[in-house]
């Protein structure tokens, strides 16, 4: 009983409800931007091989920068706290979404594309009505990776004053409050696993609906 | 292409080369309105390339293709393709769309109103013998191969095109199902009134379906004719070996009795009022094994030698001894006529043409021609 009371007290003292709301806000914003921009980039990369080579190389280089370094590097550009955290989360998570989108669009069976052409679909109709729907399982797989990436970076953002659940973790580390670290750490992990589970469930639905896999 | 009934296709000196390989070599061919024309040849002979040039999936290097007199390179390819139904062996149903979605995709893009489209989808499914209620909302993965092929056919008809291209549409099906779909397709085709260009490597299929058959080898169209024409007069050893005409018996199902008709020699028809003694002499003189009885060139019956020998009395007339002959319409299939003759125990039958003329169908002669 003492343990539960202790956890509740820690939760209260460090405003973990408020931190969770902040955390999920940052996650939602960065995730949304990532998905929209990532799919748009993926379609752009699909349409032009030159843009694809340059774009995917750039995103891969960004991916190679350690996440903490990326956060720090962004501070002189966009300031401290919220903006660099969102920017870093998006930059970091774009690659899996954009790359999977491009791969999905390119991977649609040539037979189906030829059939689409033969029955009288132009390039645009083929993209919207055939390629994008059939690429959705792969796009969703990329989005699922982006969920984990965004969660991770948003947590890290606490170090540079972005708030969210990274903030109490940082407090715990600097004040040596092991219980706070444990409670926050478990809670963040639980949230991440939950989000991943939702993304996974959605992915399975999309695979059945658009991938032709029963 | 417009909506003026079935289309007419003309290939004018069309060639297509891939590197050093000539896939289509100076093709000249006219396919008539409403005709089902079958291109047959071994794989790699160029027949599929010929078909794919019609909807511009392949562009010729040389020559031109006209549909209803219009050079197809002057038409917008998307419009052209929406007016040409396309059915292929691997079907190519879109896995993420339901049966309705597959059939309705192009009509929707072309702006067909929803209510009209729904009705059209229902009619097309009924046409291909799939219950609209049961199948409209199913996904392709929930259908058997035969059902998928039916949906493929329905989809190709969605825009009511004046022309259908079919590339081995039944090739992936097992023989029993293939035969069944071929029969159904022949039935559907009668209701459709469309020009159909059909590609196959299956000789039986070509003869079963085609109004005319074109034999393709090494990019060249080496022979065009009706199935009957090709079986009876292959013309070259290439055609003969491709079709396998040394076993013409296989094609009894595809040959009409007309192909085996023997013209009647009017001098062989004796008047029924003749006395049998005179007839007997005539028979012996002619060394024939039967006498045709009739008047003014119209055969009314047949008399065999033993009829004359067993008939007693001097004043018996020939007409009284005559047997009736079975009569077949000239379009009757040979196999059907032969089994009817076998049932009746006769070896000679009459063939009547629609114009009133006719000829004889003699079993021995059929054997001689087919073997």
């Amino acid at each position: 009983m003492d343990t539960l009371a202790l956890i509740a007290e820690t939760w209260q003292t460090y405003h973990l409800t408020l931190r969770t709301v902040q955390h999920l806000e940052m996650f939602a914003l960065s995730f949304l931007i990532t998905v929209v921009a990532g799919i748009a980039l993926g379609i752009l990369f699909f349409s032009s091989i030159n843009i694809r080579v340059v774009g995917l190389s750039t995103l891969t280089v960004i991916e190679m920068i350690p996440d903490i370094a990326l956060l720090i590097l962004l501070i002189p550009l966009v300031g401290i706290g919220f903006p660099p955290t969102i920017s870093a989360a998006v930059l970091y998570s774009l690659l899996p979404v954009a790359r999977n989108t491009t791969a999905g669009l390119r991977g649609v069976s040539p037979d189906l594309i030829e059939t689409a052409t033969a029955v009288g679909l132009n390039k645009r109709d083929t993209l919207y009505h055939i390629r994008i729907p059939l690429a959705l399982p792969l796009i969703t797989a990329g989005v699922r990776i982006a969920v984990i990436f965004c969660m991770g970076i948003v947590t890290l953002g606490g170090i540079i004053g972005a708030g969210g659940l990274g903030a109490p973790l940082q407090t715990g580390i600097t004040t040596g409050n092991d219980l706070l670290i444990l409670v926050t750490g478990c809670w963040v992990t639980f949230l991440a696993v939950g989000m991943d589970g939702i993304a996974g469930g959605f992915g399975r639905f999309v695979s059945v609906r658009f991938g032709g896999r029963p | 292409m417009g909506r003026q009934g079935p289309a007419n296709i003309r290939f004018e000196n069309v060639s297509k080369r891939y590197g050093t390989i000539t896939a289509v070599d100076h093709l000249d061919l006219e396919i008539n309105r409403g005709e089902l024309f079958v291109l047959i040849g071994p794989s790699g002979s160029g027949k599929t390339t010929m078909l794919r040039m019609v909807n511009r999936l392949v562009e010729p290097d040389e020559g031109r293709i006209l549909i209803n007199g219009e050079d197809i390179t002057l038409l917008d390819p998307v419009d052209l393709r929406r007016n040409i139904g396309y059915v292929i062996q691997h079907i190519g149903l879109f896995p993420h769309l339901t049966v309705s979605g597959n059939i309705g995709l192009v009509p929707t893009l072309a702006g067909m109103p929803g209510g009209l489209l729904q009705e059209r989808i229902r009619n097309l499914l009924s046409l291909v013998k799939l219950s609209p209620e049961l199948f409209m909302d199913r996904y392709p993965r929930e259908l058997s191969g035969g059902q998928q092929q039916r949906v493929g056919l329905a989809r190709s008809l969605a825009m009511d095109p004046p022309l259908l291209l079919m590339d081995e549409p039944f090739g992936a099906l097992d023989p029993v199902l293939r035969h069944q779909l071929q029969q159904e397709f022949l039935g559907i085709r009668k209701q459709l009134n469309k020009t159909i260009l059909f590609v196959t490597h299956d000789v039986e299929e070509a003869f079963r379906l085609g109004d005319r058959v074109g034999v393709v080898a090494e990019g060249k169209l080496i022979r065009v004719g009706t199935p009957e024409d090709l079986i009876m007069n292959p013309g070259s050893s290439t055609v003969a070996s491709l079709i396998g005409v040394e076993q013409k018996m296989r094609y009894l199902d595809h040959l009409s009795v007309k192909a085996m008709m023997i013209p009647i020699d009017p001098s062989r028809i004796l008047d029924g009022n003749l006395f049998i003694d005179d007839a007997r002499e005539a028979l012996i003189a002619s060394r024939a094994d039967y006498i045709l009885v009739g008047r003014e060139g119209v055969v009314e019956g047949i008399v065999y030698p033993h009829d004359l020998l067993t008939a007693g009395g001097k004043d018996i007339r020939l007409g009284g001894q005559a047997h009736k002959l079975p009569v077949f319409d000239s379009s009757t299939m040979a196999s059907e006529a032969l089994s009817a003759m076998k049932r009746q125990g006769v070896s000679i039958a009459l063939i009547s043409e629609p114009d009133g003329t006719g000829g004889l169908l003699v079993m021995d002669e059929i054997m001689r021609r087919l073997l």
Side-chain angles (χ1 to χ4, degrees), chain A residues 132-187:
Chain A
I132 291 180
L134 289 175
L136 277 180
L138 215 55
I139 296 175
T140 313
V143 167
R144 191 174 171 184
I145 298 171
V147 168
I148 301 296
F149 279 19
C150 283
M151 269 317 241
I153 306 276
V154 165
T155 310
L156 220 53
I159 297 172
I160 56 165
L165 289 166
L169 271 180
Q170 181 66 11
T171 310
I173 292 165
T174 49
T175 61
N177 186 341
D178 290 349
L179 182 67
L180 179 58
I181 295 174
L182 198 67
V183 170
T184 316
C186 286
W187 178 232

Side-chain angles (χ1 to χ4, degrees), chain A residues 114-115 117-118 120 129 133 209, chain B residues 52 81-82 86 96 139 155:
Chain A
E114 191 190 279
T115 304
T117 309
H129 295 278
R209 172 67 183 75
Chain B
R52 287 156 57 91
R81 290 171 189 145
R82 286 183 181 179
Y86 188 65
H96 61 296
Y139 286 96
R155 181 177 68 183

Side-chain angles (χ1 to χ4, degrees), chain B residues 111-182:
Chain B
M112 189 185 282
L116 189 69
L117 179 61
Q118 285 305 308
E119 196 191 316
R120 179 130 194 84
I121 291 170
R122 286 173 173 278
N123 291 342
L124 285 169
L125 283 176
S126 306
L127 182 74
V128 298
K129 297 196 165 53
L130 292 176
S131 148
E133 283 68 31
L134 282 177
F135 286 95
M136 274 176 88
D137 299 326
R138 287 203 194 173
Y139 286 96
R141 63 175 176 275
E142 300 168 320
L143 305 177
S144 71
Q147 289 165 344
Q148 290 188 26
Q149 198 52 267
R150 289 164 198 262
V151 175
L153 180 59
R155 181 177 68 183
S156 74
L157 297 170
M159 295 289 285
D160 194 19
L163 169 63
L164 272 184
L165 302 178
M166 305 183 85
D167 190 355
E168 310 228 8
F170 309 126
L173 306 173
D174 67 77
V176 177
L177 191 56
R178 187 185 316 156
H179 193 104
Q180 187 193 339
L181 281 188
Q182 285 166 352

Side-chain angles (χ1 to χ4, degrees), chain B residues 5-263:
Chain B
N8 150 290
I9 314 171
R10 203 156 85 229
F11 292 82
E12 288 183 351
N13 196 30
V14 173
S15 294
K16 177 71 189 178
R17 278 173 288 276
Y18 293 105
T20 54
I21 298 158
T22 304
V24 177
D25 193 356
H26 297 94
L27 173 65
D28 278 297
L29 171 65
E30 177 145 17
I31 298 167
N32 304 317
R33 287 175 198 280
E35 184 175 33
L36 200 170
F37 192 95
V38 179
L39 285 170
I40 184 165
S43 63
S45 58
K47 56 191 191 304
T48 293
T49 309
M50 293 173 183
L51 175 115
R52 287 156 57 91
M53 287 195 290
V54 177
N55 64 356
R56 293 184 63 188
L57 289 176
V58 174
E59 301 281 3
D61 294 325
E62 210 182 301
R64 53 182 200 157
I65 298 167
L66 307 168
I67 295 181
N68 290 340
E70 279 183 89
D71 186 336
I72 58 170
T73 54
L74 304 177
L75 301 169
D76 172 50
V78 170
D79 279 346
L80 174 77
R81 290 171 189 145
R82 286 183 181 179
N83 282 296
I84 299 178
Y86 188 65
V87 190
I88 37 182
Q89 180 174 344
H90 55 254
I91 311 167
L93 293 181
F94 302 120
H96 61 296
L97 298 176
T98 59
V99 167
S100 287
N102 267 283
I103 299 174
L105 178 60
V106 173
T108 306
L109 293 175
M112 189 185 282
L116 189 69
L117 179 61
Q118 285 305 308
E119 196 191 316
R120 179 130 194 84
I121 291 170
R122 286 173 173 278
N123 291 342
L124 285 169
L125 283 176
S126 306
L127 182 74
V128 298
K129 297 196 165 53
L130 292 176
S131 148
E133 283 68 31
L134 282 177
F135 286 95
M136 274 176 88
D137 299 326
R138 287 203 194 173
Y139 286 96
R141 63 175 176 275
E142 300 168 320
L143 305 177
S144 71
Q147 289 165 344
Q148 290 188 26
Q149 198 52 267
R150 289 164 198 262
V151 175
L153 180 59
R155 181 177 68 183
S156 74
L157 297 170
M159 295 289 285
D160 194 19
L163 169 63
L164 272 184
L165 302 178
M166 305 183 85
D167 190 355
E168 310 228 8
F170 309 126
L173 306 173
D174 67 77
V176 177
L177 191 56
R178 187 185 316 156
H179 193 104
Q180 187 193 339
L181 281 188
Q182 285 166 352
Q183 291 306 320
E184 283 180 21
F185 173 63
L186 280 177
I188 290 171
R189 189 220 154 184
K190 282 194 191 117
Q191 306 172 42
L192 288 178
N193 188 30
K194 295 189 185 306
T195 306
I196 300 166
L197 179 56
F198 193 109
V199 161
T200 185
H201 65 262
D202 177 352
V203 179
E204 292 270 336
E205 181 167 80
F207 290 156
R208 186 171 295 136
L209 301 180
D211 294 327
R212 280 193 304 157
V213 175
V215 179
V216 183
E218 290 168 358
K220 288 194 179 72
L221 184 65
I222 52 177
R223 179 88 159 80
V224 174
T226 61
E228 232 158 71
D229 194 15
L230 259 56
I231 296 166
M232 301 311 285
N233 316 295
S236 72
S237 58
T238 319
V239 178
S241 68
L242 183 79
I243 299 176
V245 281
E246 65 280 2
Q247 307 163 49
K248 293 194 191 94
M249 278 300 193
R250 282 167 51 199
Y251 301 118
L252 275 180
D253 279 342
H254 311 300
L255 288 171
S256 69
V257 291
K258 192 171 172 170
M260 286 168 260
M261 187 171 79
I262 305 168

